[in-house]
Amino acid sequence: SRTYLITGAASGIGEATVALLRSQGHTVIGADLKDSDIAADLSTAEGRAELVARARELTGSRLDAVISCAGIAHFDPLTIKVNHFGAVATLDGLRPLLAAGTAPRALVIGSVDSVHPTDPAIVDAALADDEEAAVEASRAAVDRGEGHLVYSSSKAAISRWIRRCAVTEDWAGAGIPLNAVGPGVIITPMTQPLLDDPDMLRLVEQSVPMPLHGHARPEQIAPLIAWLTSPENTHVTGQVVFVDGGADAVLRGDRT
Ligand code: NAD
């Protein structure tokens, strides 16, 4: 059996993944704002440090897989802090524990929103690891009425970060596949209020069309997350695997 650490473990996709891995006999340490093994706010430096310190205590500094699910979809600078910088802090912070693990694997939840329009100022600042500038650019987007770009930009940034890092000495060189899963619309506490509102539902269906099987439940995405972070995955790395009922194929068409 393996030892996993999952952020965003208290709800939605994270919660379903915890349940699946535990049902397979694995040890799973959850982290979230509350209601989890580790309480940590990944939007803050203190919370990020707390995550790593507690993970070390609970695991003897050895992890086999890290899955970063914590995320928010607010039209607010907090979204770039949690979705990009919180995920980077999780993956980078726990990488030494993975290096000590067996068949180590890492994964972050991106989004099909990463193929939507983004704000280059936010994405570039995030990829330059400049949190202050990314927050400033996010605030500017909100101020000009384009707060939705903060979310798509956060997911584009973390997807590009994965691609860049996956092939470096730190990850590929250490034998650690690093991937993202890009969901379409999954029915979770994050999306349920939108899906319950007929006007918002129409908007969601327009921006994330899912011709195959409609909106998904978290249980339908957890098996792919489990496989990508299992020892069976030896060669998939640097990928954003969309689980989106065809949304990416519709939105990007022939552009590969
Ligand atoms: P959710 O709201 O059910 O779960 C997210 C969890 O992250 C919550 O438990 C929340 O407390 C935690 N979290 C939020 N901010 C945090 C912080 N600062 N520190 C620590 N934990 C924090 O949402 P979900 O739908 O399960 O989303 C999980 C991931 O999947 C997110 O990254 C989200 O962006 C992504 N995603 C979701 C969908 C969807 O349709 N639901 C689509 C694409 C991507």
Side-chain angles (χ1 to χ4, degrees):
S1 98
R2 288 162 67 71
T3 303
Y4 289 74
L5 187 141
I6 304 188
T7 69
S11 177
I13 296 169
E15 185 181 21
T17 306
V18 171
L20 175 65
L21 291 168
R22 286 195 177 141
S23 78
Q24 294 173 342
H26 300 299
T27 300
V28 185
I29 296 162
D32 208 304
L33 289 170
K34 57 185 174 74
D35 303 328
S36 217
D37 302 306
I38 300 175
D41 179 350
L42 297 173
S43 70
T44 67
E46 303 75 50
R48 294 167 190 166
E50 174 74 4
L51 173 76
V52 175
R54 290 282 290 137
R56 282 191 180 282
E57 277 169 33
L58 292 170
T59 64
S61 295
R62 217 180 148 280
L63 271 171
D64 302 317
V66 171
I67 301 172
S68 170
C69 287
I72 55 173
H74 305 172
F75 291 9
D76 184 291
L78 191 60
T79 294
I80 191 75
K81 291 175 86 71
V82 179
N83 296 7
H84 180 80
F85 293 94
V88 167
T90 299
L91 294 165
D92 264 349
L94 297 174
R95 188 169 42 77
L97 285 68
L98 285 173
T102 303
R105 309 285 182 254
L107 183 132
V108 62
I109 308 297
S111 171
V112 78
D113 274 47
S114 62
V115 310
H116 282 155
T118 57
D119 179 343
I122 302 174
V123 177
D124 291 349
L127 288 169
D129 203 25
D130 188 339
E131 188 160 3
E132 218 171 285
V135 164
E136 214 167 281
S138 299
R139 191 161 291 126
V142 173
D143 287 347
R144 53 171 203 273
E146 295 187 316
H148 58 286
L149 294 181
V150 182
Y151 184 76
S152 59
S153 300
S154 74
K155 296 302 189 178
I158 195 65
S159 302
R160 280 170 57 184
W161 186 88
I162 291 295
R163 261 181 113 66
R164 278 188 187 179
C165 293
V167 292
T168 61
E169 269 307 298
D170 282 348
W171 296 92
I176 312 173
L178 171 64
N179 291 288
V181 162
V185 179
I186 314 289
I187 305 159
T188 69
M190 179 184 280
T191 52
Q192 191 71 64
L194 302 175
L195 304 177
D196 288 343
D197 174 333
D199 291 336
M200 290 310 291
L201 176 62
R202 254 191 309 278
L203 269 182
V204 168
E205 284 172 341
Q206 259 169 31
S207 59
V208 185
M210 296 178 67
L212 179 73
H213 294 155
H215 298 152
R217 286 175 289 103
E219 295 74 26
Q220 293 172 303
I221 172 174
L224 177 67
I225 297 171
W227 187 82
L228 284 167
T229 54
S230 77
E232 274 188 51
N233 174 23
T234 54
H235 282 77
V236 180
T237 198
Q239 296 297 313
V240 181
V241 185
F242 292 115
V243 190
D244 64 357
D248 172 54
V250 173
L251 294 168
R252 284 202 299 181
D254 284 340
R255 277 168 292 150
T256 54

